[in-house]
Amino acid sequence: MLALLGRSGSGKSTLLNLLGAVDLPTTGAVMIGGTDISKLSQEQLALFRRRRLGFVFQSFHLLPSLTAFDNVATPWLLDRALTAQRKKEVADLLARLGLADKGRRYPDELSGGQQQRVALARAVVHRPELLLADEPTGNLDAQSGREILDLLGELHREFGMTVVMATHSPQAAERCEQRITLEDGRVKENRLGTPTPPPAPGASASDDLRGSGTAEPLAAVTSPEVGA
Amino acid sequence: MKCFLCPAVALALAWPAASVAAPATQPIAEAAPEFSQAVAPREWAFPRDHGRHDSFKTEWWYFTGNLRDDAKREFGYQLTFFRTAVAPVTPRRPSPWAFHDLYFAHAAITDVAGQTFVFKDRLSRGRAGLAESSDTTLDVRLLDWKAILDRGAIRLQANEDSFSIDLSCAGGRGPVLQGPGGINAKGRRPEQASYYYSMTRLKTTGTLTLGGKQFHVHGDTWMDHEFSSNALSADQTGWDWFGLSLADGNDLMIYRLRNRAGDADFLSGTIIQPDGTPRYLSARDISLRPSKPWVSPASGSAYPQEWAVSVRGMSQLTVRTRIPGQELITTASTKVDYFEGSADVLNSTGSMIGEGYLEMTGYGRNGL
Amino acid sequence: MIRLYVALTFGHFRRHRLEFLLCVLGVALGVAVAVAIDAAVGACVGSFRGAVQSLAERSTHAIFAVDGVIRDQRYIDLLNRKLPIALAPMINRGVLAGAGAGDPIVARLIGVDVFAEKPLRGFTQFQSTLDDAARRKFLTEPNQVVIVDSLARRLNAKAGDILHLTVGAHRVDVHVCGVIAIAGVARTQLSDLIIADLATAQELTDSVGFIDRIDTRLDAPAQERLLEAALPPGLELRSTQQQSTSLEDLIGAYRLNLGALSLMASFVAVFIVYNSMLISVRQRAKSLGILRCLGASQRQLGGLYLAEGIIFASVGSIVGVLAGGALSRGLVGYIATTINDLYASVRPAPVTLDRAAIFKGVAISFGSCLLGSMVPLYQAARMPPVNAFQPTERHRAAGPAAFRLLGAGLAVLAAGWGIVLLPSDSPKMGFAMALLIALGFALVCPWLTRAACAAVEAVARPMQWLPARMAAAGVGRSLGITGVAVAATMLAMAMNISVRTMVFSFRTSLASWMEQRFSSDIFVAPELLVKHKIDATLDPRAVQWVASQPQVKSVIRYRMRKVELQGRSTALVGTNVREVMRTLPMKTALGSRARFDPAGDLLISEPLAGRTRLRAGDIVTLPTPGGQRRFRVFGVFFDFGNERGQIMLDGATLASAWNDRQVNSMHVTLFPGLDADKIAAQWSSALRPDYPIVVNSSRYVRSDVMAMFDRTFAVTEVLTWLAGGVAFCGLAGSLLALALARQRDYSVLAAVGMTGRQTIAWVLGQGAIIAWTAAIVASAAGTLLAFVLAYVVQYRSFGWSIPTSVQPRFWLQNLLLATAAAGVATIYPAIRLRRAPPAGALRHE
């Protein structure tokens, strides 16, 4: 897990959007898993996002016209590949996130914390390699925020994906192995550290990004300036 | 002679604006060669010659008279029919509207006691039912205005809303030719002449209606019938005409053509003696002196109301209109303004010695 | 506050330029159509009215004969009544005039008595325009005419030239004895005038002893009463005003048809404005909420939208009136052609938009904009401040509104249907019924749209068509916008379907009627009548010639004149009824055993039966020169030939009772096996040199009539397409708004991995749902309206019933068109969505 820190306008969201291939760099390249995504076509990008990325947003961004279940199943629905097996996975995931009975609810019938859990489920249901979270707790009360962070940590460990999280919250940052602070679009500080528990399991499967430069980074942004 | 009007009238009809635009300067109506000319003495035959004369361009039947009712209330009346040929007789055409003659008519009553004068004019193309005349006897009509010779009497009828004339005329003198052979010279050129006869002192009875009141009247009528194809020469701008019946038994007709300078251009006349024989007068025999002009508020014309008339062999006469304002403004037909009025004839002492009609034209803008 | 309005409004328009343009375009198109039709018809009517009034000049009234012509003697009798009223006889006929080798043109021949005219008309007095000789010729010589200078110019003729006139049954050469200039406006309005003396005109028009009218001048009501009292039966007094509106009476139904169509276009425009404003309210819900939080009153927010409505209206007025002016210039030619084909010769002057037309355009624009902005205005004013902070969009639209509208729609439909029960024969009520039905269908559209969305969702969900589901959800969640778009599109399409169905049915009926009516081989008629709608007869020698040709098996002669029936002038046709009845399509007739009695029976046409309420078996009394004559109505026949209705009776009976042996046309049947076209051509070349006659095969006549029919309805169909254009503007605007409203959903899905193709499918899907819902509803509404048009409006307007059938191919065409339109309308929103980086919409606002 990696936390992006910095003041408003320091470039956190921009960096996340670039990583998520929902925004395009004016110059430079974005490398993810060895692929220069800035060179991919729009269709390829879409498939790339669908298969390999997950998004969690500050304001949840659920599709208001779909039920919680369908929102979670969106990546499969886009593939028209929601098999019975996968339906079960979706249901299990919802149950896992404490939303077992909320699958048929619409977003406007859920609380903020519940919505964000649905969003989280949507972001991980297809087992992405990279989960991008933009202030995932920003719109939540402290209790809900903690729950989301806990879940994020759990999923990170369980599914083994890299999590890049932009945040203001020191509590959220503390849970990350690496913390990068941005200022005016540049890296100001890059600190490695032990994430603080709870729960504190062996930081195992998802530390590809942990050692800066030690391993091939999964994602890299090479840019003279990641501008705000 | 009144009816020198007619050439001008013909003009006015065919050129509605012409008489207004340039009445006196127009080189008028050189008669088309197809029309006959009044140059040779005519074999007269009546009643045939009371009728229409197709080969002549203009023709009119003129009735004027001074009448009175049993209460001695004095009236004058005028009923005139004009015919003018737009073209000589043309081949017969299918449409009854095809025509070559235009007709118009003027009717007027002078109420001396009431100091009123009413008149009306009409116009129509010659067409059966609208306006027509016989070529075998006196029978001329314009709608329901008519002058018809019937069993020795002439019926005159003109009915209007404001007045009506319904008279019967019989007896009297004439026809008397107004010139040798009926030729009445109008100018110095030989073809400037008309055929002209009169019948005077026609005993007249009948009814005049005026202001809704009927008056049973009697008196004398003077009839003129004249036809020609020629007209005034260019510098003849007006005329004066007198038709007077005197107490001594003579009838006196005088006409004067005036030139642009206002002088007499041509002056002539006839005395019809009690036995009915005419004595023709020349310019040398006549002298006229107009005076007391009355200015018409309607037309602006200034008509003399009193004339000193001297005729060789007769005592001095004064002709005085009975009332002023006997002016016809003929907007519906000829567009000529003229004075046609009942008049008294006085001797030098001022006594009434006769009566008659006085016609004056060319005293204003719409003179002829 | 004004500054805030301006800033908010223009800021909004700047950001939503295309929607603004589409809305204004829609309004402007609606205005343009209404203005153009009005101006074009107005120009035709105006030229007619101007000509009538200029011809009347100082006269105020004219006396006409109910049966067409006035005997000379009647005029003379009237003169002898010595009313203090000027009376002048006139002949007034349409003719063809040519000079030299040029093509002849339609002109007006008047015959006047210049002496009687003097108090009434100045231009026939030829003041200082003709010299003595010319005037004498004009008055006294046959075949002499005076023409106006503009006609002289068009014919390239001058005084002294010979004109070739086609008058009635004949061609005749006349001499131009003078060319006159008419002063003032009359110069253009009387630009086709040939003046003849009354005698000349009677001779030229073959009507010696008759005149067409008596002009008069009545300055006071008392005079009018006096003259009315003096008129013998059979003559009627009509004011110049009445004469000049006679064309308007004639074309009233036609004009009403066009007007109703343009009204529909404006009606569609109301929906567009409504839609556009509603979208703008939605798009600015947050801004409005914030404004309310900051203390803006309801009235102020309402004012904001009122201001917007006024801006739409103003721009719509200007663009619409300008476009309408341009459009009318194109339209006037077509409308004039139709009027010339069907009613009377008009030569409209170039169209100019007068103050009334401009006012009408502005009124329509403001009316539709203000009407359309009422609900959005109300909504904006009622926008709760909390809107500024609404966290999550609701997942479905307000259901009860759609349901309430459904109820209202059904009620309006019922009311529309109820109109047919009202005891009124007015075509206007028919249009009101059509309008109510259209409105009713429009009102049920939101509910139907929602139902359609539910259906799509139901199908797409198990199929895992996420774009389709998103489309259904998008449309269904914005019923306020999409329901109106569906309604507007539906209205335009329903109009198109109904008009085309009605026209198609009409055309089919007419074609089959023509087959029966013109079942003979050759049709012979005067050129003036066939080509210029000018009354004319056939020369008896030509009639004789045709009848004596060896190829002829049988001939049916037709004579048409006028007769007074129930106080109105009615066409009276004399022919061999028994023969004609073999093929005449009858609506009703006396029992099968009854036989048509030529001496005492007659037939009436369907329009006449409708107008007079006469039925088979009734007795009618017709005035003839020999007195009143009674006839029995034997039956009612279908007739598309004369919307004013006609009476058909035996030719011999007409000839003897009216002393009229003229012939207007002949239907010739040849011996079998002969080529009608070839023989028609032979006869034509034999007869044409001597007679102004048209000889055509009946087949040619039928196709000619059909071509005329198509010309007549071309404008109608163009109008329905214009209404479609208005609707398209609304559809495109709605789709764009919808796409923009769903931009965040798009971004989310893009982030989750939706491809561009799926995006397009989604946006297209929205268009398709709207368009297809509209098309399906329009098929039902259009067909129903077609029946209303055919059985109520046409029947009430023209008196003929048109058997109408359901035409599914128009439904299909509309469906395809709607699909294409939706496709076109989604291109821009799709491109715009795809081009925008998805991140843009994801920012936390």
Side-chain angles (χ1 to χ4, degrees):
Chain A
M1 283 177 78
L2 183 150
L4 288 174
L5 299 163
R7 288 192 205 137
S8 289
S10 59
K12 301 189 301 289
S13 293
T14 306
L15 181 58
L16 272 188
N17 285 339
L18 288 171
L19 287 174
V22 291
D23 208 347
L24 291 174
T26 34
T27 54
V30 179
M31 305 289 293
I32 293 180
T35 319
D36 180 358
I37 59 167
S38 48
K39 294 229 163 62
L40 294 178
S41 72
Q42 285 291 335
E43 300 295 291
Q44 288 168 321
L45 272 178
L47 287 176
F48 177 80
R49 288 194 295 266
R50 194 188 295 172
R51 308 263 151 75
R52 297 173 65 182
L53 297 185
F55 278 93
V56 179
F57 308 98
Q58 176 178 5
S59 42
F60 327 140
H61 286 326
L62 294 179
L63 296 169
S65 54
L66 297 184
T67 58
F69 183 94
D70 283 348
N71 261 294
V72 175
T74 304
W76 302 130
L77 287 173
L78 282 172
D79 272 341
R80 298 188 65 195
L82 185 62
T83 57
Q85 166 67 29
R86 283 171 173 159
K87 279 185 184 169
K88 191 174 172 302
E89 284 176 24
V90 171
D92 290 348
L93 187 56
L94 281 171
R96 165 88 191 278
L97 296 179
L99 297 165
D101 56 342
K102 302 285 194 286
R104 304 183 69 131
R105 298 270 180 95
Y106 285 89
D108 57 332
E109 295 162 341
L110 299 172
S111 72
Q114 288 168 333
Q115 285 191 48
Q116 192 61 309
R117 273 181 273 162
V118 173
L120 190 56
R122 179 177 68 187
V124 300
V125 70
H126 56 302
R127 307 289 163 93
E129 295 160 42
L130 177 62
L131 178 68
L132 302 168
D134 189 0
E135 299 278 4
T137 60
N139 274 13
L140 299 173
D141 58 69
Q143 173 64 28
S144 302
R146 256 195 313 280
E147 281 172 27
I148 288 296
L149 287 174
D150 292 348
L151 283 171
L152 203 55
E154 273 175 44
L155 294 169
H156 162 65
R157 283 187 295 278
E158 195 173 321
F159 295 161
M161 68 217 161
T162 305
V163 176
V164 179
M165 173 167 63
T167 186
H168 277 113
S169 147
Q171 291 89 347
E174 276 166 19
R175 301 192 181 203
C176 295
E177 293 87 354
Q178 186 175 6
R179 290 183 286 274
I180 296 175
T181 307
L182 295 177
E183 192 175 276
D184 288 338
R186 294 178 187 282
V187 175
K188 186 188 169 200
E189 191 184 0
N190 186 353
R191 249 185 322 145
L192 286 171
T194 318
T196 39
S204 56
S206 65
D207 47 2
D208 301 5
L209 255 174
R210 183 173 36 183
S212 79
T214 52
E216 187 78 67
L218 179 63
V221 179
T222 55
S223 168
E225 185 174 59
V226 181
Chain B
M1 158 74 225
K2 5 199 141 183
C3 302
F4 263 12
L5 255 188
C6 289
V9 157
L11 214 67
L13 282 174
W15 292 260
S19 63
V20 179
T25 55
Q26 197 96 20
I28 305 167
E30 290 306 314
E34 301 91 334
F35 290 110
S36 304
Q37 301 293 334
V39 285
R42 185 176 172 86
E43 291 290 318
W44 293 87
F46 294 92
R48 154 73 196 86
D49 276 319
H50 286 319
R52 185 179 77 241
H53 299 85
D54 266 334
S55 60
F56 293 87
K57 183 162 170 55
T58 50
E59 182 159 17
W60 57 84
W61 297 262
Y62 230 111
F63 301 88
T64 52
N66 287 298
L67 310 173
R68 54 203 56 83
D69 69 358
D70 295 335
K72 301 280 186 215
R73 184 162 175 167
E74 301 275 348
F75 296 94
Y77 85 94
Q78 172 204 357
L79 180 61
T80 317
F81 295 89
F82 305 87
R83 176 187 72 82
T84 180
V86 179
V89 178
T90 46
R92 211 174 155 66
R93 289 171 52 182
S95 173
W97 293 91
F99 78 108
H100 46 87
D101 284 336
L102 269 180
Y103 287 84
F104 33 104
H106 299 167
I109 295 181
T110 305
D111 172 12
V112 178
Q115 292 277 302
T116 51
F117 178 78
V118 291
F119 69 93
K120 194 93 180 174
D121 58 332
R122 283 186 173 183
L123 156 75
S124 174
R125 69 172 64 200
R127 185 213 187 282
L130 292 184
E132 52 196 318
S133 58
S134 163
D135 58 359
T136 56
T137 184
L138 176 62
D139 182 346
V140 54
R141 319 160 183 243
L142 205 164
L143 285 179
D144 63 345
W145 289 10
K146 53 187 91 159
I148 299 169
L149 177 62
D150 181 29
R151 282 167 293 187
I154 299 170
R155 279 296 301 276
L156 302 176
Q157 283 179 308
N159 274 301
E160 283 300 318
D161 279 351
S162 49
F163 68 94
S164 74
I165 296 167
D166 186 357
L167 301 170
S168 179
C169 316
R173 292 181 188 163
V176 180
L177 303 181
Q178 294 283 16
I183 299 176
N184 186 266
K186 296 292 194 291
R188 287 167 193 85
R189 283 185 287 145
E191 69 275 15
Q192 269 184 290
S194 66
Y195 290 116
Y196 179 10
Y197 71 85
S198 302
M199 292 167 69
T200 61
R201 300 188 190 233
L202 295 166
K203 292 299 156 232
T204 303
T205 57
T207 317
L208 296 179
T209 312
L210 193 63
K213 270 167 71 182
Q214 280 198 345
F215 300 94
H216 298 282
V217 291
H218 54 88
D220 285 354
T221 288
W222 180 305
M223 174 207 179
D224 280 341
H225 183 194
E226 186 163 7
F227 48 97
S228 69
S229 298
N230 222 324
L232 303 180
S233 60
D235 57 350
Q236 291 173 332
T237 59
W239 62 85
D240 308 295
W241 174 91
F242 300 81
L244 309 172
S245 295
L246 304 178
D248 64 6
N250 288 312
D251 297 318
L252 177 62
M253 189 282 287
I254 296 173
Y255 68 85
R256 179 179 79 156
L257 292 165
R258 300 191 310 276
N259 61 22
R260 213 168 293 159
D263 302 331
D265 182 66
F266 199 82
L267 188 59
S268 174
T270 305
I271 297 171
I272 302 169
Q273 298 165 62
D275 64 356
T277 56
R279 185 157 73 81
Y280 302 118
L281 306 171
S282 72
R284 287 191 307 276
D285 304 326
I286 307 164
S287 126
L288 298 172
R289 214 172 59 248
S291 62
K292 299 190 180 166
W294 167 80
V295 179
S296 159
S299 66
S301 302
Y303 302 104
Q305 298 295 299
E306 202 167 292
W307 293 73
V309 178
S310 308
V311 174
R312 182 174 306 203
M314 295 178 86
S315 53
Q316 171 82 28
L317 307 172
T318 299
V319 178
R320 189 167 67 203
T321 64
R322 284 182 167 172
I323 62 170
Q326 302 181 77
E327 183 193 34
L328 289 89
I329 302 196
T330 57
T331 47
S333 57
T334 47
K335 295 201 171 167
V336 171
D337 307 330
Y338 70 106
F339 190 101
E340 181 85 31
S342 171
D344 288 329
V345 185
L346 312 170
N347 64 11
S348 50
T349 63
S351 309
M352 276 262 300
I353 55 160
E355 59 188 16
Y357 255 73
L358 164 60
E359 176 177 295
M360 298 173 278
T361 75
Y363 286 91
R365 207 159 55 87
N366 290 353
L368 79 112
Chain C
M1 194 64 201
I2 297 283
R3 271 200 57 173
L4 187 59
Y5 279 176
V6 171
L8 280 171
T9 304
F10 284 99
H12 181 73
F13 287 159
R14 205 165 34 240
R15 274 190 295 147
H16 299 275
R17 246 171 269 148
L18 194 65
E19 292 108 300
F20 176 74
L21 279 180
L22 283 170
C23 179
V24 165
L25 191 64
V27 173
L29 209 52
V31 170
V33 169
V35 167
I37 287 181
D38 228 42
V41 177
C44 294
V45 167
S47 84
F48 185 85
R49 190 187 304 161
V52 167
Q53 279 165 354
S54 288
L55 190 61
E57 208 183 310
R58 290 193 294 272
S59 65
T60 60
H61 290 69
I63 298 162
F64 293 89
V66 178
D67 65 359
V69 289
I70 306 172
R71 287 183 174 281
D72 284 353
Q73 191 57 45
R74 289 209 150 167
Y75 166 69
I76 293 169
D77 292 346
L78 259 185
L79 278 186
N80 275 308
R81 300 290 293 269
K82 295 207 300 178
L83 308 168
I85 292 167
L87 299 168
M90 179 185 264
I91 281 179
N92 181 355
R93 303 282 172 93
V95 298
L96 277 185
D103 277 339
I105 56 180
V106 175
R108 177 150 303 281
L109 170 70
I110 61 166
V112 294
D113 179 356
V114 297
F115 309 107
E117 294 264 296
K118 223 181 287 184
L120 303 180
R121 250 183 292 276
F123 67 83
T124 53
Q125 299 301 308
F126 310 142
Q127 274 143 338
S128 69
T129 47
L130 290 192
D131 64 20
D132 177 21
R135 190 172 283 116
R136 182 163 34 235
K137 272 188 179 170
F138 172 83
L139 288 174
T140 61
E141 290 182 21
N143 299 339
Q144 295 285 344
V145 298
V146 166
I147 63 177
V148 295
D149 53 359
S150 45
L151 182 64
R153 218 170 19 251
R154 280 165 66 206
L155 290 171
N156 196 20
K158 57 186 187 308
D161 284 358
I162 288 180
L163 289 192
H164 314 297
L165 296 189
T166 302
V167 190
H170 307 291
R171 283 201 205 95
V172 62
D173 286 351
V174 295
H175 302 269
V176 178
C177 63
V179 174
I180 61 161
I182 296 180
V185 275
R187 186 188 178 89
T188 50
Q189 287 162 340
L190 298 177
S191 61
D192 59 351
L193 206 58
I194 301 173
I195 305 167
D197 181 62
L198 189 59
T200 307
Q202 277 194 343
E203 289 159 6
L204 288 176
T205 57
D206 210 6
S207 50
V208 167
F210 295 94
I211 54 178
D212 292 339
R213 54 193 261 186
I214 301 167
D215 283 9
T216 181
R217 178 183 177 87
L218 304 174
D219 294 316
Q223 282 186 315
E224 191 172 338
R225 282 193 297 276
L226 200 61
L227 186 54
E228 288 273 13
L231 285 185
L235 294 189
E236 59 180 19
L237 186 64
R238 291 215 293 267
S239 70
T240 305
Q241 186 66 33
Q242 284 169 318
Q243 296 161 45
S244 70
T245 53
S246 64
L247 181 70
E248 284 154 84
D249 293 345
L250 273 178
I251 67 167
Y254 174 64
R255 194 180 198 176
L256 186 62
N257 269 303
L258 293 180
L261 290 179
S262 67
L263 184 67
M264 277 298 235
S266 309
F267 193 48
V268 174
V270 173
F271 279 74
I272 288 180
V273 172
Y274 170 82
N275 213 10
S276 167
M277 301 273 289
L278 202 63
I279 290 168
S280 129
V281 172
R282 294 284 156 85
Q283 283 169 345
R284 287 188 287 175
K286 191 155 274 177
S287 311
L288 294 171
I290 293 170
L291 278 175
R292 290 280 282 136
C293 289
L294 295 178
S297 70
Q298 295 195 353
R299 181 187 298 249
Q300 284 170 326
L301 290 189
L304 179 65
Y305 276 82
L306 192 64
E308 281 194 29
I310 289 170
I311 290 170
F312 279 127
S314 308
V315 181
S317 304
I318 294 166
V319 178
V321 167
L322 289 178
L327 188 61
S328 65
R329 257 153 240 151
L331 209 54
V332 68
Y334 288 101
I335 290 179
T337 306
T338 292
I339 293 176
N340 283 330
D341 276 348
L342 301 178
Y343 301 107
S345 178
V346 290
R347 275 187 2 106
V351 187
T352 48
L353 293 185
D354 56 3
R355 228 174 275 174
I358 292 170
F359 177 79
K360 181 170 181 181
V362 171
I364 288 174
S365 184
F366 274 81
S368 54
C369 287
L370 295 182
L371 200 63
S373 56
M374 259 174 1
V375 171
L377 189 149
Y378 175 77
Q379 286 200 354
R382 295 251 325 234
M383 186 67 72
V386 68
N387 251 37
F389 316 111
Q390 198 173 11
T392 310
E393 278 183 83
R394 324 239 355 130
H395 77 276
R396 57 177 134 227
F403 202 73
R404 276 200 301 274
L405 286 178
L406 174 70
L410 293 176
V412 170
L413 280 175
W417 197 247
I419 283 187
V420 83
L421 305 173
L422 290 181
S424 162
D425 279 343
S426 163
K428 283 184 184 151
M429 290 307 276
F431 278 116
M433 178 179 175
L435 201 64
L436 281 182
I437 287 176
L439 182 65
F441 271 100
L443 287 174
V444 303
C445 274
W447 188 84
L448 288 172
T449 309
R450 201 177 62 173
C453 291
V456 170
E457 166 72 14
V459 173
R461 191 188 174 97
M463 307 285 287
Q464 297 184 26
W465 285 339
L466 192 60
R469 291 181 63 192
M470 292 303 298
V475 172
R477 275 156 32 82
S478 302
L479 273 187
I481 292 168
T482 55
V484 176
V486 168
T489 314
M490 184 282 295
L491 278 179
M493 285 194 291
M495 200 172 130
N496 182 283
I497 289 174
S498 63
V499 167
R500 293 176 70 205
T501 302
M502 188 274 289
V503 170
F504 175 82
S505 305
F506 195 177
R507 197 179 195 287
T508 312
S509 313
L510 181 63
S512 79
W513 177 80
M514 293 277 298
E515 283 289 331
Q516 294 172 293
R517 210 57 203 80
F518 288 80
S519 57
S520 59
D521 299 306
I522 288 180
F523 178 68
V524 184
E527 184 180 351
L528 284 175
L529 190 63
V530 172
K531 294 190 176 162
H532 305 287
K533 281 279 150 186
I534 296 169
D535 194 20
T537 55
L538 291 171
D539 189 299
R541 287 165 295 181
V543 173
Q544 193 50 48
W545 187 92
V546 168
S548 65
Q549 291 307 296
Q551 307 96 327
V552 173
K553 183 167 170 239
S554 66
V555 172
I556 298 177
R557 295 173 175 82
Y558 283 88
R559 168 62 181 152
M560 198 185 97
R561 53 178 296 134
K562 288 181 189 163
V563 71
E564 185 176 351
L565 176 69
Q566 298 186 353
R568 284 175 69 172
S569 184
T570 306
L572 177 70
V573 174
T575 187
N576 186 342
V577 178
R578 272 194 187 165
E579 190 61 37
V580 168
M581 274 179 74
R582 287 166 190 262
T583 56
L584 188 69
M586 298 293 292
K587 189 178 185 188
T588 56
L590 292 177
S592 56
R593 259 175 302 167
R595 252 172 82 77
F596 183 86
D597 168 21
D601 283 349
L602 51 72
L603 304 179
I604 59 174
S605 69
E606 187 190 20
L608 186 63
R611 173 157 75 75
T612 59
R613 306 255 172 251
L614 286 171
R615 285 179 305 177
D618 287 351
I619 301 295
V620 294
T621 307
L622 301 180
T624 71
Q628 299 289 324
R629 193 160 160 169
R630 286 157 62 85
F631 292 92
R632 178 178 63 163
V633 177
F634 185 79
V636 178
F637 61 98
F638 288 110
D639 181 35
F640 295 119
N642 187 339
E643 67 201 54
R644 320 269 282 175
Q646 51 182 328
I647 300 169
M648 192 185 282
L649 49 64
D650 186 69
T653 306
L654 184 148
S656 63
W658 277 268
N659 193 25
D660 177 348
R661 274 156 230 287
Q662 306 222 62
V663 175
N664 286 102
S665 65
M666 307 166 76
H667 291 198
V668 181
T669 304
L670 302 174
F671 286 110
L674 295 171
D675 181 346
D677 284 306
K678 216 166 96 186
I679 289 170
Q682 282 169 8
W683 290 2
S684 191
S685 52
L687 289 168
R688 292 271 304 159
D690 299 321
Y691 308 105
I693 270 180
V694 177
V695 183
N696 280 318
S697 72
S698 300
R699 185 170 33 207
Y700 177 87
V701 171
R702 289 196 295 263
S703 66
D704 200 39
V705 169
M706 294 326 284
M708 199 164 87
F709 178 89
D710 291 341
R711 281 202 297 277
T712 302
F713 283 100
V715 173
T716 314
E717 293 208 19
V718 164
L719 287 181
T720 70
W721 295 120
L722 283 177
V726 176
F728 176 77
C729 293
L731 181 66
S734 301
L735 286 174
L736 184 58
L738 214 53
L740 296 180
R742 300 268 68 81
Q743 197 150 13
R744 200 169 63 179
D745 287 0
Y746 160 75
S747 300
V748 171
L749 275 172
V752 175
M754 185 172 64
T755 60
R757 205 167 301 146
Q758 286 172 318
T759 311
I760 290 172
W762 172 15
V763 179
L764 260 179
Q766 292 186 340
I769 291 173
I770 293 178
W772 288 343
T773 307
I776 290 165
V777 180
S779 299
T783 303
L784 187 59
L785 285 175
F787 281 86
V788 171
L789 285 182
Y791 291 109
V792 182
V793 174
Q794 284 280 338
Y795 187 74
R796 287 179 177 180
S797 297
F798 303 107
W800 45 55
S801 48
I802 302 162
T804 301
S805 55
V806 176
Q807 298 297 329
R809 57 210 175 85
F810 295 140
W811 304 355
L812 191 66
Q813 282 176 17
N814 258 284
L815 190 72
L816 294 177
L817 266 169
T819 310
V824 172
T826 46
I827 288 174
Y828 178 73
I831 289 175
R832 199 160 146 179
L833 275 189
R834 278 198 60 194
R835 204 182 282 153
L842 289 177
R843 293 212 178 87
H844 184 72
E845 283 142 15

